[in-house]
Amino acid sequence: MSWSLDVAPFFSWPVLALVAAPAVILAALLLLSGTRGAALRVVAIAALLLALINPVVLREERDPLKSVVALVVDGSQSQSIGERKAQAAAAEAQLKESLARFPQFEVRTVETTPTASPDSDATTALFGALSTALKDVSPARVGGAIFVTDGEVHDIPADAQSLGFDAPVHALVTGRPDEFDRRIEITNAPRFGLVDQDQQLSYRVLEDGKGTGAPVDVRVFLNGDLVTRQRAEIGGTGTVTFQLPRAGKNILELSVAQDPKEITVVNNRAIAVVDGIRENLRVLLVSGEPHAGERTWRNLLKSDAAVDLVHFTILRPPEKQDGTPIDELSLIAFPTRELFVEKIDDFDLIIFDRYQRRGVLPTLYFDYMAQYVEKGGAILIASGPEYAGNDSVATTPLASILPAMPTGQVDETPFRPEISELGRKHPVTRDLPGSETEPPQWSQWFRSIDVGTPRGETVMTGPDGKPLLVLNRAGEGRVALLLSDQGWLWSRGFEGGGPHVALFRRLAHWLMKEPELEEEALDAEARGSDLVITRQTVGDDPGPATVITPSGSAVQLPLKQTVPGRWEGVLKTKELGLFQAANGDLRALANVGPVNPREFREAVSTTEKLRPVAEASRGSVRRLAGAEGDITVPRIVPVNGRADADGRDWIGLKTTDETVLRGVDRTPLFAGFLGLALLLLALSATWWREGR
């Protein structure tokens, strides 16, 4: 309860000033004139003025407010190291029990969780959590903050003034004072690189705590495959030279040998994500007999900026004799030896468009082409009636790699190309525009080549379900066989046309081994804090994927079919770092959050990072456990104002003087009988004095 004096005038202050001015002048004249009873008259005038001003006595009923204390418990990934989580839980329980003994404290407990954010590297943001917990509390009511953490905090303010309150901050640090850790850091890595070209990466191995300082082994993995081993000096800089095997995302992983005394091996790995850029794909297109769709392949490949095209058209077979001068037969000679012997390995794809043997290419050259495919090259046969004839390329050494052999029959029955059951799962033909209906709304073709039983994958069919597009692997290379020359009808828009651009482009890129068109593939990618596993297969249910988290635990992730041939699973995760996924013989890597997050760059617990801000706020930093692991939680002591809040075995928390108003009693001094009595007394005293 508190008392105070206030006024509640009956009139506005300007009106009271007009009344008070002559009254004050009259009182002054009475006092100066020495008139008998002047003092009593002045008192009566003053009493009248006070009555108009109406002084009020206020009696306030107030309840004291509690000081708000924030207990912030670090739940970041580094707290899972060793005994830290158990130490934090034990300290939290004891602190809550101690604080419960003080009714003047209101405790707000904040348990932070790991932050898996691709945009932020501040993974242990305890001061952000503190600010959120106290955002509705006035600074005067804050009694202080207690952090239970390993000391590796990433959002420490520059000074105590930035806290927004004047109260002590204490830190109780988990872990042990004799911790040792070895880690590897990538100091310089390219973001992009040309496929099959030398790239360089720099790294260093560091030790925190008391280590041996001896050289250690470093293993280098590229997309999960071991590529080299090195010997590295502690604190020195090492260099790795590597080549990207494919376009798109490539993950380079460096792993340093483990020491038995280390507190964690999570930071014994570091990764770099390098995007592979392929130089323009080189395609050799050889057109045989001129036909209506001769320029279809040329126009398609020329429109692709990623393709360098070399095109030769054989307009006139050597045996044709019509008297045309030799120097007018072609603009340039067909460099057969240069293309098919000397530089054949420079091409990513060779296309024969309605080509037949006419003596232009020696038989030996076809044998070179078969070897070229076996060693990793690619050939597409876009066939016409000549494929069924005696001069077919199927009668050359190419027969050893072709996915289907001709029967010698040409079927000229009109038909609409359809996607086979296998083709609905295959990335080359899956989801082609117009394939949603049965049959697809594509224009008719009018010719197909009959073949025997295919050795590869039939992804499109022609009349009576016969093979139309067959894909196959031969050794390390790939072969595709298109058993019709009618694709140009789609490009011309006949009967509405068809998806010739999508089909032919996918076909060419599958032959050139683009990763996104693989029939059997496993992919992992981060979408925010989620890990998405995608399995492409032309088979049946591939079963669950096994995911290895950055902390080393294994999770079985079920996969659900989203479209034919494509299975997907989503793993909700709060961890940051490199995840490994496996399904059958396939592996995939993906990084969630920042590459090499700060959370594990420095894993050794420390009291030094929080000490400046804690001491500036009159708080303290101390370890919970000694070298033997025994836990000691300091006592809680309430302190006033800016008193010291740190002792040998105790920590202080500030109590507040803030109160909350419950009620107010107002008592006017000149109201009722009291005011009337005072005025009557003043007037009576004046009359009495005059009557003497």
Side-chain angles (χ1 to χ4, degrees), residues 142-257:
V142 178
I146 303 175
F147 292 113
V148 181
T149 175
D150 57 13
E152 294 292 348
V153 182
H154 304 136
D155 64 342
I156 301 174
D159 49 52
Q161 287 73 26
S162 302
L163 293 171
F165 57 83
D166 184 15
V169 173
H170 303 282
L172 305 181
V173 178
T174 58
R176 299 193 182 189
D178 58 347
E179 292 177 342
F180 164 72
D181 185 48
R182 176 183 294 157
R183 55 193 168 94
I184 186 168
E185 290 183 352
I186 294 176
T187 57
N188 187 34
R191 291 184 56 194
F192 306 94
L194 291 175
V195 174
D196 296 330
Q197 298 292 323
D198 285 347
Q199 311 292 330
Q200 285 195 333
L201 174 146
S202 301
Y203 69 91
R204 60 179 179 176
V205 179
L206 302 173
E207 291 183 345
D208 298 323
K210 295 182 179 180
T212 61
V216 292
D217 288 328
V218 174
R219 294 182 300 169
V220 182
F221 298 86
L222 183 57
N223 297 325
D225 299 322
L226 180 66
V227 292
T228 187
R229 296 174 182 265
Q230 292 188 351
R231 195 77 172 163
E233 298 286 341
I234 302 299
T237 299
T239 302
V240 175
T241 301
F242 62 96
Q243 291 185 349
L244 300 177
R246 67 189 186 198
K249 182 180 68 175
N250 293 267
I251 295 182
L252 198 72
E253 178 186 355
L254 278 67
S255 175
V256 65

Side-chain angles (χ1 to χ4, degrees), residues 60 104 130 475 501 534 626:
E60 299 178 344
Q104 64 266 46
L130 173 65
V501 173
T534 304

Side-chain angles (χ1 to χ4, degrees), residues 29-39 41 689-690:
L29 292 175
L30 288 172
L31 292 174
L32 293 175
S33 65
T35 305
R36 291 176 60 188
R41 289 186 175 91
R689 185 68 184 86
E690 288 179 351

Side-chain angles (χ1 to χ4, degrees), residues 21-22 39 47 366 370 420 501 536 554 666:
F366 289 99
S420 67
V501 173
Q536 164 65 43
R666 299 165 59 89

Side-chain angles (χ1 to χ4, degrees), residues 205-406:
V205 179
L206 302 173
E207 291 183 345
D208 298 323
K210 295 182 179 180
T212 61
V216 292
D217 288 328
V218 174
R219 294 182 300 169
V220 182
F221 298 86
L222 183 57
N223 297 325
D225 299 322
L226 180 66
V227 292
T228 187
R229 296 174 182 265
Q230 292 188 351
R231 195 77 172 163
E233 298 286 341
I234 302 299
T237 299
T239 302
V240 175
T241 301
F242 62 96
Q243 291 185 349
L244 300 177
R246 67 189 186 198
K249 182 180 68 175
N250 293 267
I251 295 182
L252 198 72
E253 178 186 355
L254 278 67
S255 175
V256 65
Q258 177 185 356
D259 188 286
K261 297 186 296 181
E262 281 190 85
I263 58 173
T264 180
V265 296
V266 173
N267 55 7
N268 285 38
R269 297 183 306 170
I271 65 171
V273 180
V274 185
D275 286 327
I277 301 174
R278 187 188 296 274
E279 290 186 295
N280 280 3
L281 302 171
R282 299 197 66 195
V283 178
L284 173 61
L285 172 60
V286 181
S287 298
E289 181 177 332
H291 64 101
E294 181 181 357
R295 299 187 65 84
T296 300
W297 281 105
R298 174 183 174 85
N299 293 340
L300 177 68
L301 295 169
K302 290 292 287 185
S303 67
D304 193 335
V307 172
D308 286 337
L309 177 65
V310 178
H311 183 200
F312 284 94
T313 301
I314 301 174
L315 300 175
R316 178 179 182 278
E319 71 275 8
K320 184 175 182 181
Q321 301 295 329
D322 57 6
T324 304
I326 295 298
D327 58 356
E328 297 179 12
L329 286 179
S330 74
L331 297 178
I332 60 174
F334 191 6
T336 55
R337 177 175 178 77
E338 182 181 4
L339 293 176
F340 294 99
V341 179
E342 298 175 0
K343 295 186 176 181
I344 188 172
D345 292 332
D346 293 343
F347 290 101
D348 299 287
L349 172 64
I350 297 175
I351 301 176
F352 285 109
D353 180 21
R354 291 199 58 174
Y355 181 83
Q356 61 180 318
R357 293 189 299 117
R358 290 290 184 86
V360 176
L361 296 178
T363 302
L364 182 61
Y365 287 9
F366 289 99
D367 186 48
Y368 290 155
M369 281 183 270
Q371 296 178 35
Y372 153 80
V373 173
E374 295 281 352
K375 293 186 295 183
I379 284 182
L380 166 63
I381 307 295
S383 65
E386 63 283 341
Y387 188 68
N390 294 329
D391 294 328
S392 169
V393 293
T395 62
T396 71
L398 280 180
S400 62
I401 62 169
L402 291 177
M405 300 301 292

